[in-house]
């Protein structure tokens, strides 16, 4: 098991290096530091000195990969690639264009993100599984038919609609929650419940339909027929046999995205004014702040790899056939 | 009456306007302490009949009419809640696929206890005790209660499934092809166990099978099913001595056996009709050799020939029910001799020659994926196949016979050894040279449903090989070759434009054989070519293979677990155990007087000669031998101390016969 983990972690390094190189190529070679400076300073009437100053202030005035003027190891280390890209492996993300420390920002913004994403994820999972089980239990009846039609309708509606409709009804018409905003501590609940509700409802159609398919696939297997042949009740067949096996792909799929919850939700956070990492990323993209975008892409890659390793580990817990070597 | 009484059972499948009736008016009875076999080929409705009795029909299929009384109570009329108490209680069922019939994430113990709680009110400690008793009853060590299904072998899983179904102490147990997925040695053990349980518990056993020999060993009475109906119903003695229905008679004649060597097998023309085929009159009339005009118009009624013998056939009309049974089956046709004689031509050198061929798979573990162990799937095999000769490679699943065949064709890279085809060392060939050599060596796979590309027309499938390996042929020559091939394998010329899914299993296997023949091979590897087919179709394919060999002098390496087919078709036999050959020799001698205890075990497990007195207690599976002794020693009834110390090599027993045993039987 530990050998397996070590090997997986070793495999992660080249992947992260690749992510690093690709984002570096995108943000520094395709889009040179000169372009960045012009973007920020304005294209017209900008002096070459202003550009040089802007670059020097942010450390973008160095060569990309090789600094031939430097001495000793500085040839490699005194470069943009080493300082801006490789430093991310030590989780040093440097400064945003407005001068604030990105790492610090991530650490404070992570919590509001989690406050939304974690309940949405957990409640969403439970609701989706419950609805899917109800649909499977009442299969070949109007309950299932209606449920599936509703699910298809719900997944066909844009996610933005749920946000706007939720804000209009709950915040404006019924005044049950603030339209947007966030406060730390216990007050957070007041701001959090509406986005969570919107998130759960928005994901219900696709989620329930997908889980229903998984359960139905299990329901057609031979061991389910064996369970029925033993004379078990339909509810027992459903919960003890179908649910237990159907949960294998559901749980492992959920574990894969679990670490990504830290990254928050791009759209929900922007619309509800939650100062989390999702809105941070959206704002950075709008402001063309590549330092932040690069940091978030790298963080996303790290968390995704972590999710995949956790998936493999979770398999060993839910499926006795799987042993990691 | 105690037991199960089924009357006029009809199962229908409705889809839109169409209504199919795969089970149409089936009636039979299973008395207490009696085994009844429901015998039939695939698609005849025997499994649906069983599922209908359990009221576990798949979605879309429904019981249209009929009754099934268990002790006078009609189970088909019970409300679902009460039926649930019957299911797994008084009426239980075991299934064909032990690999998939158990829940993979629950332990055996959990699955047995669950059945016990559903049908008893025992307290928890009592249940644990009962579960252990059930395990003992089916011949499993009680410690295995803690095991998960994937930790058990196929035979052990089937035993565990039987234990679960005994939990409710059933009056009637339905066994749906319980041993079809198992090795012949394991099959013999499971059948003996079922018979023993049936007799000890006074249970009725309804055995559903396609295998005449299994039915002969097990059943007291037999119902023969064809196209959704029971066509003959008789006690075992009556049925096997004087079958009346032309279908039953033909079923006996199409079976390959060592006694039919050199004869052409009788065939039933055509295929088993599916339920979608509408049949007028007698359902067998289209394939019946004794068909009369009225058979095509008038559905035959059920006729009782004697109190224990009923039949659904117009031929029974003129028969006095009390008269002597109708004459024994007509002798099989001897129009042509299929085999190229006992001694195949050996004038030229061998077509295929293997010397010390080995295929080892590395087992990698640890952080650096170092090779810590090797699986010796094939471990030093010497074998020759000559022109016009059929060499059968037999052994249990997992013994390495398929690996050996693939390595011989270089579809898999051998680890060591020599590999010669027509005198040419093909282990050294690479790339283009190897590709061109493939024209001489072809393979026919077991499952014709997955071995043909479903997106290609039959013509394209057949021509593809010719284009690749015989580029010298012009388009016209290819078309002519194609026409000749189709004629050889007995397919009409218009099949070229059609897709594989339009054909039945037997026809697909003909296409697969034609595909292999298209490039003019000298050697054909036949990997279980008939085991996915019905017996009536198997006879057609075996006859075809024999004809082709006679006409073209092909060399066959025939991989199979079916020893009857071996006895019928093969010239020489090679028996394989754990990657090594343990015995080789001429088929007739080897199968009648085996030299190796393993060969004898295999032969003794073949159904149709009565069950062994005591269920064989030899461990199943192929556990490794401790130390460096004989690999078979742990299972060998003749094992002596020396066997654990010395690994025997193949030694000559008689001219042409070899066995790897320190104490050979002959």
């Amino acid at each position: 098991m530990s050998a397996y983990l070590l090997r997986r972690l070793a495999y992660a390094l080249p992947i992260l290096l690749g992510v690093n190189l690709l984002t570096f190529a995108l943000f520094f070679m395709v889009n040179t530091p000169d372009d960045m400076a012009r973007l920020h300073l304005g294209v017209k009437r900008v002096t070459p000195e202003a550009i040089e100053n802007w670059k020097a202030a942010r450390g973008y005035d160095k060569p990309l990969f090789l600094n031939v003027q430097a001495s000793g190891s500085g040839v490699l280390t005194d470069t943009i690639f080493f300082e801006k890209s490789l430093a991310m492996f030590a989780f040093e993300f440097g400064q945003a264009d407005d001068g604030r420390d990105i790492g610090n920002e991530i650490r404070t913004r992570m919590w509001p993100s989690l406050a939304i994403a974690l309940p949405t994820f957990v409640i969403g999972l439970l609701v989706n599984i419950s609805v899917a089980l109800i649909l499977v239990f009442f299969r070949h009846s109007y309950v299932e038919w209606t449920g599936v039609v509703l699910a298809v309708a719900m997944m066909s509606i844009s996610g933005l609609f749920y946000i706007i409709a939720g804000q209009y009804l709950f915040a404006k018409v019924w005044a049950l929650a603030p339209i947007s905003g966030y406060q730390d501590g216990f007050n957070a609940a007041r701001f959090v419940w509406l986005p969570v509700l919107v998130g759960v409802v928005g994901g219900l159609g696709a989620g329930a339909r997908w889980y229903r398919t998984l359960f139905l696939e299990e329901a057609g297997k031979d061991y389910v027929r064996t369970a029925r042949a033993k004379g078990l009740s339909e509810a027992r067949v459903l919960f003890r046999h179908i649910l237990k096996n159907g949960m294998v792909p559901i749980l492992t799929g959920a574990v894969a995205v679990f670490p990504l919850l830290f990254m928050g939700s791009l759209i929900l956070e922007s619309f509800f004014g939650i100062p989390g990492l999702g809105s941070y990323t959206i704002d950075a993209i709008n402001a063309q702040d590549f330092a932040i975008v690069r940091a978030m892409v790298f963080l996303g890659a790290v968390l995704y790899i972590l999710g995949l390793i956790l998936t493999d580990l979770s398999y060993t817990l839910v499926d006795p056939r799987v042993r990691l070597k | 009456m105690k037991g199960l009484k089924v009357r006029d059972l009809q199962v229908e499948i409705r889809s839109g306007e169409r209504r199919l009736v795969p089970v149409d008016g089936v009636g039979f009875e299973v008395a207490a302490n009696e085994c009844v076999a429901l015998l039939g080929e695939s698609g005849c409705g025997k499994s649906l009949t069983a599922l209908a009795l359990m009221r576990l029909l798949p979605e879309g299929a429904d019981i249209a009419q009929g009754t099934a009384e268990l002790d006078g109570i009609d189970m088909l009329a019970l409300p679902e809640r009460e039926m649930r108490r019957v299911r797994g209680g008084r009426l239980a069922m075991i299934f064909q696929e032990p690999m998939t019939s158990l829940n993979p994430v629950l332990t055996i113990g959990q699955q047995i206890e669950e059945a016990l709680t559903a049908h008893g009110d025992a307290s928890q400690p009592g249940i644990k005790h009962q579960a252990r008793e059930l395990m003992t009853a089916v011949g499993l060590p009680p410690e295995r209660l803690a095991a998960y299904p994937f930790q058990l072998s196929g035979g052990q899983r089937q035993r565990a499934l039987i234990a679960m179904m005994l939990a409710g102490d059933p009056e009637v147990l339905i066994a749906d092809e319980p041993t079809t997925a198992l090795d012949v040695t394991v099959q013999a053990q499971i059948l003996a166990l079922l018979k023993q349980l049936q007799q000890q518990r006074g249970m009725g056993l309804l055995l559903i099978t396609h295998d005449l020999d299994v039915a002969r060993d097990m059943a007291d009475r037999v119902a023969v099913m064809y196209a959704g109906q029971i066509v003959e119903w008789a006690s075992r003695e009556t049925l096997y001595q004087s079958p009346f229905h032309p279908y039953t008679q033909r079923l006996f004649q199409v079976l390959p056996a060592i006694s039919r060597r050199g004869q052409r097998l009788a065939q039933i023309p055509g295929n088993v009709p599916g339920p979608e085929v509408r049949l007028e009159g007698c359902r067998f009339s289209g394939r019946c050799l004794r068909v009369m005009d009225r058979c095509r118009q008038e559905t035959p009624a059920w006729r009782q020939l004697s109190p224990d013998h009923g039949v659904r056939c117009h031929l029974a009309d003129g028969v006095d029910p009390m008269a002597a049974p109708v004459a024994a089956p007509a002798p099989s046709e001897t129009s042509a001799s299929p085999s190229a004689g006992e001694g195949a031509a050996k004038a030229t050198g061998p077509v295929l020659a293997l010397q010390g061929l080995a295929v080892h798979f590395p087992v990698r573990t640890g952080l650096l994926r170092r090779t810590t162990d090797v699986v010796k799937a094939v471990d030093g095999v010497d074998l020759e196949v000559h022109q016009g000769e059929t060499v059968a490679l037999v052994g249990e699943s997992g013994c390495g016979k398929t690996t050996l065949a693939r390595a011989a064709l270089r579809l898999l890279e051998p680890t060591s050894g020599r590999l010669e085809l027509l005198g040419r060392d093909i282990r050294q060939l690479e790339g283009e040279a190897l590709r061109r050599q493939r024209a001489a060596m072809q393979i026919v796979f077991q499952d014709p449903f997955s071995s043909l590309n479903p997106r290609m027309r039959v013509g394209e499938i057949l021509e593809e090989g010719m284009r690749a390996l015989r580029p010298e042929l012009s388009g016209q020559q290819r078309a002519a070759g194609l026409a000749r091939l189709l004629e050889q394998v007995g397919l009409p010329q218009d099949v070229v434009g059609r897709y594989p899914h339009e054909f039945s299993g037997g026809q697909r296997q003909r296409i697969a054989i034609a595909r292999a023949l298209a490039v003019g091979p000298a050697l054909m590897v036949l990997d279980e070519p008939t085991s996915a087919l019905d017996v009536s179709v198997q006879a057609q394919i075996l006859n075809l293979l024999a004809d082709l060999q006679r006409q073209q002098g092909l060399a066959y390496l025939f991989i199979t677990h079916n020893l009857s087919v071996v006895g019928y078709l093969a010239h020489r036999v090679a028996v394989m155990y754990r990657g090594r050959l343990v015995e080789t020799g001429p088929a007739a001698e080897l199968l009648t007087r085996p030299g190796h205890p393993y060969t004898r075990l295999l032969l003794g497990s073949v159904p149709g000669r009565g069950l062994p007195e005591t269920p064989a207690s030899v461990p199943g599976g192929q556990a490794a031998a401790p130390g460096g002794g004989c690999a078979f020693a742990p299972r060998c009834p003749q094992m002596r101390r020396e066997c654990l110390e010395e690994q025997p090599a193949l030694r000559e027993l008689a001219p042409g016969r070899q066995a790897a045993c320190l104490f050979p039987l002959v």
Side-chain angles (χ1 to χ4, degrees), chain B residues 566-587:
Chain B
V566 173
Y568 168 70
L569 197 67
H571 302 111
R572 283 196 302 130
V573 182
V575 184
M576 201 164 174
Y577 187 77
R578 282 178 63 85
R580 288 163 170 267
L581 295 188
V582 294
E583 183 167 8
T584 62

mmCIF file of all heavy atoms in Angstrom, chain B residues 566-587:
data_model
loop_
_atom_site.group_PDB
_atom_site.id
_atom_site.type_symbol
_atom_site.label_atom_id
_atom_site.label_comp_id
_atom_site.label_asym_id
_atom_site.label_seq_id
_atom_site.Cartn_x
_atom_site.Cartn_y
_atom_site.Cartn_z
ATOM 1 N N VAL B 566 -13.161 -34.813 -28.415
ATOM 2 C CA VAL B 566 -11.795 -35.302 -28.620
ATOM 3 C C VAL B 566 -11.830 -36.740 -29.125
ATOM 4 O O VAL B 566 -11.173 -37.089 -30.115
ATOM 5 C CB VAL B 566 -10.993 -35.218 -27.302
ATOM 6 C CG1 VAL B 566 -9.638 -35.888 -27.468
ATOM 7 C CG2 VAL B 566 -10.832 -33.779 -26.883
ATOM 8 N N GLY B 567 -12.617 -37.551 -28.439
ATOM 9 C CA GLY B 567 -12.680 -38.960 -28.815
ATOM 10 C C GLY B 567 -13.182 -39.144 -30.232
ATOM 11 O O GLY B 567 -12.736 -40.041 -30.952
ATOM 12 N N TYR B 568 -14.085 -38.267 -30.638
ATOM 13 C CA TYR B 568 -14.650 -38.410 -31.973
ATOM 14 C C TYR B 568 -13.675 -37.943 -33.041
ATOM 15 O O TYR B 568 -13.508 -38.586 -34.071
ATOM 16 C CB TYR B 568 -15.949 -37.607 -32.061
ATOM 17 C CG TYR B 568 -16.455 -37.463 -33.464
ATOM 18 C CD1 TYR B 568 -16.974 -38.565 -34.143
ATOM 19 C CD2 TYR B 568 -16.389 -36.250 -34.125
ATOM 20 C CE1 TYR B 568 -17.416 -38.460 -35.450
ATOM 21 C CE2 TYR B 568 -16.832 -36.129 -35.428
ATOM 22 C CZ TYR B 568 -17.338 -37.242 -36.089
ATOM 23 O OH TYR B 568 -17.759 -37.139 -37.374
ATOM 24 N N LEU B 569 -13.016 -36.813 -32.800
ATOM 25 C CA LEU B 569 -12.337 -36.123 -33.893
ATOM 26 C C LEU B 569 -10.814 -36.295 -33.898
ATOM 27 O O LEU B 569 -10.203 -36.345 -34.962
ATOM 28 C CB LEU B 569 -12.677 -34.628 -33.797
ATOM 29 C CG LEU B 569 -12.410 -33.779 -35.028
ATOM 30 C CD1 LEU B 569 -13.342 -34.206 -36.142
ATOM 31 C CD2 LEU B 569 -12.609 -32.311 -34.705
ATOM 32 N N ALA B 570 -10.203 -36.387 -32.723
ATOM 33 C CA ALA B 570 -8.747 -36.227 -32.670
ATOM 34 C C ALA B 570 -8.011 -37.501 -33.054
ATOM 35 O O ALA B 570 -8.484 -38.607 -32.812
ATOM 36 C CB ALA B 570 -8.336 -35.804 -31.266
ATOM 37 N N HIS B 571 -6.847 -37.340 -33.681
ATOM 38 C CA HIS B 571 -5.944 -38.472 -33.906
ATOM 39 C C HIS B 571 -5.042 -38.674 -32.708
ATOM 40 O O HIS B 571 -4.837 -39.771 -32.251
ATOM 41 C CB HIS B 571 -5.101 -38.246 -35.158
ATOM 42 C CG HIS B 571 -5.935 -38.041 -36.382
ATOM 43 N ND1 HIS B 571 -6.015 -36.833 -37.023
ATOM 44 C CD2 HIS B 571 -6.745 -38.873 -37.049
ATOM 45 C CE1 HIS B 571 -6.839 -36.944 -38.057
ATOM 46 N NE2 HIS B 571 -7.293 -38.172 -38.089
ATOM 47 N N ARG B 572 -4.490 -37.561 -32.258
ATOM 48 C CA ARG B 572 -3.637 -37.652 -31.067
ATOM 49 C C ARG B 572 -4.129 -36.657 -30.034
ATOM 50 O O ARG B 572 -4.776 -35.662 -30.356
ATOM 51 C CB ARG B 572 -2.182 -37.343 -31.438
ATOM 52 C CG ARG B 572 -1.490 -38.529 -32.137
ATOM 53 C CD ARG B 572 0.011 -38.355 -32.127
ATOM 54 N NE ARG B 572 0.415 -37.126 -32.780
ATOM 55 C CZ ARG B 572 1.259 -36.242 -32.227
ATOM 56 N NH1 ARG B 572 1.782 -36.471 -31.051
ATOM 57 N NH2 ARG B 572 1.572 -35.145 -32.874
ATOM 58 N N VAL B 573 -3.804 -36.944 -28.777
ATOM 59 C CA VAL B 573 -4.245 -36.096 -27.679
ATOM 60 C C VAL B 573 -3.038 -35.686 -26.862
ATOM 61 O O VAL B 573 -2.127 -36.490 -26.643
ATOM 62 C CB VAL B 573 -5.251 -36.842 -26.766
ATOM 63 C CG1 VAL B 573 -5.739 -35.933 -25.643
ATOM 64 C CG2 VAL B 573 -6.429 -37.360 -27.563
ATOM 65 N N ALA B 574 -3.009 -34.427 -26.442
ATOM 66 C CA ALA B 574 -1.996 -33.964 -25.495
ATOM 67 C C ALA B 574 -2.740 -33.406 -24.291
ATOM 68 O O ALA B 574 -3.599 -32.537 -24.431
ATOM 69 C CB ALA B 574 -1.120 -32.885 -26.131
ATOM 70 N N VAL B 575 -2.448 -33.947 -23.115
ATOM 71 C CA VAL B 575 -3.123 -33.515 -21.894
ATOM 72 C C VAL B 575 -2.214 -32.542 -21.166
ATOM 73 O O VAL B 575 -1.031 -32.817 -20.954
ATOM 74 C CB VAL B 575 -3.445 -34.718 -20.984
ATOM 75 C CG1 VAL B 575 -4.239 -34.268 -19.774
ATOM 76 C CG2 VAL B 575 -4.209 -35.775 -21.763
ATOM 77 N N MET B 576 -2.761 -31.417 -20.788
ATOM 78 C CA MET B 576 -1.938 -30.358 -20.209
ATOM 79 C C MET B 576 -2.364 -30.105 -18.760
ATOM 80 O O MET B 576 -3.562 -30.100 -18.448
ATOM 81 C CB MET B 576 -2.135 -29.090 -21.031
ATOM 82 C CG MET B 576 -1.040 -28.084 -20.889
ATOM 83 S SD MET B 576 -1.131 -26.897 -22.220
ATOM 84 C CE MET B 576 0.136 -25.774 -21.668
ATOM 85 N N TYR B 577 -1.400 -29.918 -17.898
ATOM 86 C CA TYR B 577 -1.687 -29.597 -16.502
ATOM 87 C C TYR B 577 -0.664 -28.590 -16.008
ATOM 88 O O TYR B 577 0.543 -28.854 -16.071
ATOM 89 C CB TYR B 577 -1.660 -30.867 -15.641
ATOM 90 C CG TYR B 577 -2.116 -30.630 -14.222
ATOM 91 C CD1 TYR B 577 -3.475 -30.493 -13.952
ATOM 92 C CD2 TYR B 577 -1.213 -30.509 -13.181
ATOM 93 C CE1 TYR B 577 -3.916 -30.251 -12.665
ATOM 94 C CE2 TYR B 577 -1.645 -30.265 -11.892
ATOM 95 C CZ TYR B 577 -2.999 -30.143 -11.636
ATOM 96 O OH TYR B 577 -3.436 -29.893 -10.365
ATOM 97 N N ARG B 578 -1.130 -27.458 -15.537
ATOM 98 C CA ARG B 578 -0.261 -26.410 -15.003
ATOM 99 C C ARG B 578 0.910 -26.098 -15.918
ATOM 100 O O ARG B 578 2.072 -26.064 -15.494
ATOM 101 C CB ARG B 578 0.229 -26.781 -13.612
ATOM 102 C CG ARG B 578 -0.840 -26.547 -12.542
ATOM 103 C CD ARG B 578 -0.341 -26.963 -11.189
ATOM 104 N NE ARG B 578 0.800 -26.174 -10.766
ATOM 105 C CZ ARG B 578 0.717 -25.000 -10.161
ATOM 106 N NH1 ARG B 578 -0.453 -24.483 -9.906
ATOM 107 N NH2 ARG B 578 1.792 -24.342 -9.817
ATOM 108 N N GLY B 579 0.608 -25.893 -17.209
ATOM 109 C CA GLY B 579 1.631 -25.407 -18.120
ATOM 110 C C GLY B 579 2.510 -26.468 -18.730
ATOM 111 O O GLY B 579 3.365 -26.155 -19.556
ATOM 112 N N ARG B 580 2.347 -27.733 -18.329
ATOM 113 C CA ARG B 580 3.162 -28.797 -18.895
ATOM 114 C C ARG B 580 2.278 -29.881 -19.477
ATOM 115 O O ARG B 580 1.163 -30.092 -19.008
ATOM 116 C CB ARG B 580 4.049 -29.436 -17.818
ATOM 117 C CG ARG B 580 5.178 -28.565 -17.368
ATOM 118 C CD ARG B 580 5.727 -29.085 -16.059
ATOM 119 N NE ARG B 580 6.957 -28.391 -15.741
ATOM 120 C CZ ARG B 580 8.169 -28.840 -16.082
ATOM 121 N NH1 ARG B 580 8.283 -29.985 -16.719
ATOM 122 N NH2 ARG B 580 9.244 -28.150 -15.792
ATOM 123 N N LEU B 581 2.832 -30.604 -20.453
ATOM 124 C CA LEU B 581 2.122 -31.771 -20.954
ATOM 125 C C LEU B 581 2.361 -32.915 -19.975
ATOM 126 O O LEU B 581 3.501 -33.164 -19.576
ATOM 127 C CB LEU B 581 2.627 -32.160 -22.339
ATOM 128 C CG LEU B 581 2.362 -31.148 -23.461
ATOM 129 C CD1 LEU B 581 2.745 -31.751 -24.799
ATOM 130 C CD2 LEU B 581 0.919 -30.706 -23.490
ATOM 131 N N VAL B 582 1.273 -33.585 -19.569
ATOM 132 C CA VAL B 582 1.469 -34.720 -18.668
ATOM 133 C C VAL B 582 1.254 -36.039 -19.392
ATOM 134 O O VAL B 582 1.683 -37.083 -18.918
ATOM 135 C CB VAL B 582 0.554 -34.640 -17.431
ATOM 136 C CG1 VAL B 582 0.925 -33.452 -16.561
ATOM 137 C CG2 VAL B 582 -0.900 -34.575 -17.840
ATOM 138 N N GLU B 583 0.570 -35.997 -20.550
ATOM 139 C CA GLU B 583 0.438 -37.230 -21.307
ATOM 140 C C GLU B 583 0.148 -36.901 -22.766
ATOM 141 O O GLU B 583 -0.593 -35.973 -23.076
ATOM 142 C CB GLU B 583 -0.699 -38.102 -20.740
ATOM 143 C CG GLU B 583 -0.804 -39.438 -21.465
ATOM 144 C CD GLU B 583 -1.679 -40.455 -20.758
ATOM 145 O OE1 GLU B 583 -2.327 -40.081 -19.774
ATOM 146 O OE2 GLU B 583 -1.707 -41.610 -21.206
ATOM 147 N N THR B 584 0.752 -37.678 -23.669
ATOM 148 C CA THR B 584 0.419 -37.566 -25.090
ATOM 149 C C THR B 584 0.304 -38.969 -25.647
ATOM 150 O O THR B 584 0.909 -39.900 -25.130
ATOM 151 C CB THR B 584 1.513 -36.826 -25.889
ATOM 152 O OG1 THR B 584 2.722 -37.567 -25.798
ATOM 153 C CG2 THR B 584 1.732 -35.423 -25.394
ATOM 154 N N GLY B 585 -0.513 -39.077 -26.703
ATOM 155 C CA GLY B 585 -0.640 -40.388 -27.317
ATOM 156 C C GLY B 585 -1.794 -40.417 -28.290
ATOM 157 O O GLY B 585 -2.558 -39.456 -28.397
ATOM 158 N N PRO B 586 -1.944 -41.533 -29.019
ATOM 159 C CA PRO B 586 -3.069 -41.686 -29.944
ATOM 160 C C PRO B 586 -4.379 -41.642 -29.173
ATOM 161 O O PRO B 586 -4.488 -42.220 -28.087
ATOM 162 C CB PRO B 586 -2.849 -43.066 -30.566
ATOM 163 C CG PRO B 586 -1.438 -43.422 -30.281
ATOM 164 C CD PRO B 586 -1.050 -42.714 -29.025
ATOM 165 N N ALA B 587 -5.372 -40.971 -29.755
ATOM 166 C CA ALA B 587 -6.613 -40.713 -29.021
ATOM 167 C C ALA B 587 -7.279 -41.996 -28.557
ATOM 168 O O ALA B 587 -7.691 -42.114 -27.396
ATOM 169 C CB ALA B 587 -7.577 -39.916 -29.909
#
